[in-house]
Amino acid sequence: MTIDHGYWADYLLSAADERKEVQAITKQVDELSTDDAYAIQAALLEKQLGRGDALAGAKLGLTSRAKQEQMGVDEPVYGWVPKSSIITDGVAPLGELIHPRCEPELVFILGEDLAGPAVTADDVLDATSTVVGGIEVIDSRYEAFSFTLTDVIADNTSAARVVIGDDGTAPRDTDLTTLGCVFEVDGEITGTATGAALLGDPAACVALLANHLGKHGQKLSAGWLVMAGAATDARPLAEGTMATARYSHLGSVTVTGKA
Ligand code: 0L1
Ligand code: MG
């Protein structure tokens, strides 16, 4: 069966526009390969850019062993960060989202391009101007956040919004593997982690992304932000929910859910 990438991209875009959860693609087709899933994701991005959005960065998901085990996979997923997804006032607009969840992220701000296929963690540190803390708001377009790996790739890895912290560190000033994060939702600590929870080294995760893009003739560009993936579980973000990620060396980042 041939997969119509544009059709499924429209399917996911309408789901987001109409705030309507939809059935996973794999429930409707015989087979969805990883290549087809990334092609749907690319078509989705093209449609977003065609509406006047801009590309502000890229992201990894499933970079912690815990999340990989949950999904029964042993590799991360890669997605895009449109400019419109960046929250600047700390408020997640629940009226524009379906069933959002939030999770802490280490965010690399690139000072130089990174082009695979042979990018190393050292190259990532060289190309990064600052590492900041962040919180990603994920919002699967699928019913009950239920999907296979290729479904979530097609859905741009559930990307929805992101809050970026103000305090950063130069990448070599702090050991990113021991940098700590405490994630607190409405005053309750829901998770703690160090950078090493991200496949041993968050910079190595970013290298994986650069090398993945390199295979498709793409690169990470100077000025972009790159999310390395969440090291703790994502938590529901409802009306009035206040989530704070407290990082050693990077200060705190907060997001609040508001209709
Ligand atoms: O950013 C992420 O880690 C999302 C990965 C995809 C799985 C999910 O939506 O939880
Ligand atoms: Mg994430």
Side-chain angles (χ1 to χ4, degrees), residues 59-62 67 103 105 136 138 145 147 152 157-158:
K59 61 166 279 193
L60 292 110
L62 309 180
K67 275 208 169 191
E103 58 186 21
E105 295 273 348
E136 184 182 18
I138 55 174
F145 257 88
F147 42 70
V152 76
T157 67
S158 306

Side-chain angles (χ1 to χ4, degrees), residues 22-236:
V22 292
Q23 199 179 44
I25 298 172
T26 52
K27 293 202 169 130
Q28 304 171 67
V29 301
D30 294 338
E31 201 196 337
L32 182 65
S33 69
T34 304
D35 283 349
D36 277 320
Y38 277 112
I40 295 169
Q41 185 194 94
L44 181 59
L45 176 69
E46 204 177 302
K47 287 174 191 292
Q48 288 170 309
L49 299 181
R51 290 172 163 193
D53 211 335
L55 193 51
K59 61 166 279 193
L60 292 110
L62 309 180
T63 47
S64 72
R65 293 272 178 237
K67 275 208 169 191
Q68 289 189 354
E69 274 162 24
Q70 258 172 25
M71 282 215 67
V73 298
D74 57 7
E75 56 180 315
V77 290
Y78 311 102
W80 300 109
V81 179
K83 191 167 178 215
S84 63
S85 70
I86 299 174
I87 294 174
T88 51
D89 60 0
V91 175
L94 301 184
E96 297 172 13
L97 300 167
I98 304 169
H99 41 199
R101 298 178 181 178
C102 54
E103 58 186 21
E105 295 273 348
L106 280 182
V107 184
F108 290 67
I109 310 293
L110 299 184
E112 292 167 26
D113 290 358
L114 270 173
V119 172
T120 64
D122 255 352
D123 296 333
V124 171
L125 297 181
D126 287 342
T128 300
S129 55
T130 328
V131 177
V132 297
I135 295 181
E136 184 182 18
V137 178
I138 55 174
D139 192 28
S140 174
R141 270 51 70 170
Y142 300 121
E143 287 165 348
F145 257 88
S146 173
F147 42 70
T148 66
L149 188 71
T150 51
D151 283 312
V152 76
I153 290 170
D155 188 26
N156 195 25
T157 67
S158 306
R161 298 289 188 281
V162 59
V163 185
I164 309 292
D166 298 323
D167 300 323
T169 179
R172 291 191 191 278
D173 282 0
T174 305
D175 178 357
L176 301 179
T177 65
T178 57
L179 191 145
C181 173
V182 175
F183 196 47
E184 202 177 292
V185 180
D186 290 333
E188 183 200 339
I189 293 176
T190 62
T192 59
T194 60
L198 303 177
L199 299 180
D201 179 0
C205 295
V206 177
L208 286 175
L209 170 53
N211 293 330
H212 160 81
L213 292 177
K215 282 189 213 144
H216 302 275
Q218 295 169 309
K219 63 178 182 183
L220 296 172
S221 297
W224 279 12
L225 63 89
V226 180
M227 285 187 265
T232 72
D233 273 348
R235 309 298 291 197

Side-chain angles (χ1 to χ4, degrees), residues 1-11 25 29 32 36 39-40 43 47:
M1 181 195 238
T2 308
I3 301 289
D4 181 339
H5 305 139
Y7 170 83
W8 291 111
D10 280 332
Y11 175 77
I25 298 172
V29 301
L32 182 65
D36 277 320
I40 295 169
K47 287 174 191 292

